[in-house]
Structures are given as C-alpha cells and as structure tokens.
Amino acid sequence: MREVLKIDGLTKVYPSGKRAVSSLSLTVTAGEIYGFIGHNGAGKSTTIRAVCGVMEFDEGEITVDGCSMRAQPIECKRHIAYVPDNPDLYEFMTGRQYVTLLADLYGVNAMDRQGRTARYARLFGMEDSLDEMIGAYSHGMKQKTALIGALVHKPSLMVLDEPFVGLDPEAAFHLKAAMRELCAEGGAIFFSTHVLEVAEKLCDRIAIIRRGVLTAQGTVRQIVGEGTLEDVFMAEAEEHA
C-alpha cells in the first residue's frame, strides 16, 4: 500500500524549552482517512504545521508521497492541501479569485478548475457568494472557501485542522463525502478533531496524542473495542492526569 504520509520520530521543542511533540511516528496510506485526536495543547496543531511545512522541527523526518519535507520542501508541498482551523485568506480578493490563485499555483488547467470550482461551490452552498469579497465573509464562509481551494487541485494528501468547527450540518455532511471521494481516488486525509463521534464514524484509523506523545494508534475497532472513542479518550485522560 502506498504511503502518502510518513512521520518518523518527529520532535519539536519551542525556544521556551517546551517539548511540544516527542518522537512521534505514524503512517497514512492511500485511501485512508486518519484522525488525530487530543486535548488543546496536546501537540496536534504543531504536528500538522510540521507536516505541511509551515513550521520547522528539530528531529525526525516527514515524507509525503516519497518526498522529504527537509530535503524537498517545495516538491513536498505540491502534494499537500492544508486547511487550518482559522483560515487566513486574502480579504482583498473575492472567493473565486482566491480559488483561481490556488489553481494557478498548482497548475490546474482551465477546464478542470472551472468544473471543480463550480461543483464544490454548489456542494458547500457558496454559489451566490464566491464572487463577493472575502473581507465580508463570515468565519464559516471563509472555511468553505478554503476547502474549495484545497479540493480544486485534487491533492495526494489533504491536511485539516479541526475542519468541522464552524461548519453547518449540511456543509459538514458534504465535507465528509468529499473526503471519502478523495480517498477513493487514491488520496489520503489526515485531520485533527475534537468531535469524537465524527472521528469514530468517519476514520479508518486514529491516533491519540497527549502532551506531545502518541498514547494510542490503530483502527477504530482496535482502539475502542466494545466501547466508544469517548470512553477510551476519557480513560486515557484519567490515566495520564
């Protein structure tokens, strides 16, 4: 099975001396939705930013579709679409201009970009808003625009930080469908979430991180057994309190 994302011994220590992530290793394969779960401050966003090349790390290696984030950062990023938890978009652009910019950066041809933009705008209920200025958007509209921009170039790896926060139920439903479709076409998803029920139902595999260290990883069935993900998560919280 093709390894889309491989993290091997990732360690990040901040200048303050805080060890945000310690010797973290995991692999996400083609066709897989991989959930990354942990409390605020556990190291989820630090890991995600390192994976996407927006944060340097101290030890370890990250590869995306065989490209090293250390040795080939630009080539590595060509395979990734990243949507942070609070998208910081260009407010002087319209939503369509922003999506077009991303399509240009990733070399998507005119026919594909038009078709995909129209499709995802319709999917996320942005057909009537995509030509408005981003500066006038709500948080949810910015998030939807960021998702359209991420999907327009069909990345090998889609990395999402808390993607369901701020989305209305209909948009969340369509995002799950788009995630499954990307994986069915050979891509992979790596996303963090606080919504344990979503992770349990949506993910093929999950990892739980606490204080920068992975405390569990595997298929949902392997981790939850006869219980629920919430049971496992709360039991781990008590064990590591």
Side-chain angles (χ1 to χ4, degrees):
M1 183 67 72
R2 177 172 128 256
E3 294 180 346
V4 178
L5 169 65
K6 184 173 183 178
I7 306 175
D8 187 12
L10 175 67
T11 296
K12 172 65 181 179
V13 181
Y14 286 111
S16 64
K18 178 185 177 182
R19 184 174 286 260
V21 180
S22 184
S23 300
L24 186 149
S25 297
L26 60 82
T27 301
V28 184
T29 59
E32 189 169 47
I33 299 178
Y34 199 113
F36 196 42
I37 300 165
H39 289 292
N40 288 336
K44 301 190 306 298
S45 292
T46 297
T47 302
I48 282 175
R49 289 173 186 146
V51 164
C52 295
V54 298
M55 176 180 285
E56 294 183 351
F57 48 97
D58 298 293
E59 298 175 16
E61 179 63 283
I62 295 171
T63 56
V64 178
D65 258 351
C67 297
S68 164
M69 188 58 76
R70 283 192 185 276
Q72 306 157 282
I74 295 176
E75 180 61 27
C76 203
K77 292 174 186 178
R78 292 185 190 278
H79 299 271
I80 301 172
Y82 170 43
V83 181
D85 57 345
N86 188 23
D88 187 15
L89 311 184
Y90 297 118
E91 298 200 344
F92 58 86
M93 288 183 169
T94 66
R96 190 177 305 278
Q97 288 171 332
Y98 175 78
V99 174
T100 298
L101 173 64
L102 289 179
D104 283 341
L105 289 172
Y106 285 94
V108 182
N109 67 53
M111 183 178 294
D112 285 342
R113 81 176 59 176
Q114 289 171 8
R116 293 171 191 171
T117 300
R119 181 189 174 205
Y120 292 121
R122 184 171 59 252
L123 200 67
F124 291 112
M126 290 290 291
E127 287 176 294
D128 298 330
S129 306
L130 211 57
D131 291 308
E132 297 175 4
M133 300 300 292
I134 291 174
Y137 283 3
S138 66
H139 173 78
M141 293 168 72
K142 289 179 180 178
Q143 193 169 358
K144 291 174 184 179
T145 302
L147 288 167
I148 296 168
L151 289 162
V152 77
H153 65 95
K154 289 196 175 295
S156 295
L157 176 66
M158 192 168 182
V159 182
L160 308 166
D161 198 354
E162 297 291 348
F164 298 102
V165 175
L167 287 184
D168 56 77
E170 185 176 357
F173 174 85
H174 289 305
L175 173 57
K176 293 172 195 173
M179 291 165 72
R180 291 190 182 100
E181 181 182 85
L182 181 70
C183 289
E185 294 174 348
I189 307 285
F190 182 58
F191 79 104
S192 71
T193 183
H194 284 108
V195 187
L196 300 182
E197 184 179 0
V198 168
E200 190 168 349
K201 291 180 178 178
L202 184 63
C203 296
D204 299 297
R205 285 196 295 155
I206 53 178
I208 299 175
I209 185 172
R210 189 172 301 279
R211 297 174 185 169
V213 177
L214 284 189
T215 58
Q217 61 176 312
T219 66
V220 174
R221 181 178 293 276
Q222 286 171 338
I223 290 179
V224 306
E226 298 301 317
T228 66
L229 187 53
E230 184 178 35
D231 294 335
V232 173
F233 191 70
M234 295 310 297
E236 289 229 349
E238 293 175 4
E239 181 181 341
H240 293 86

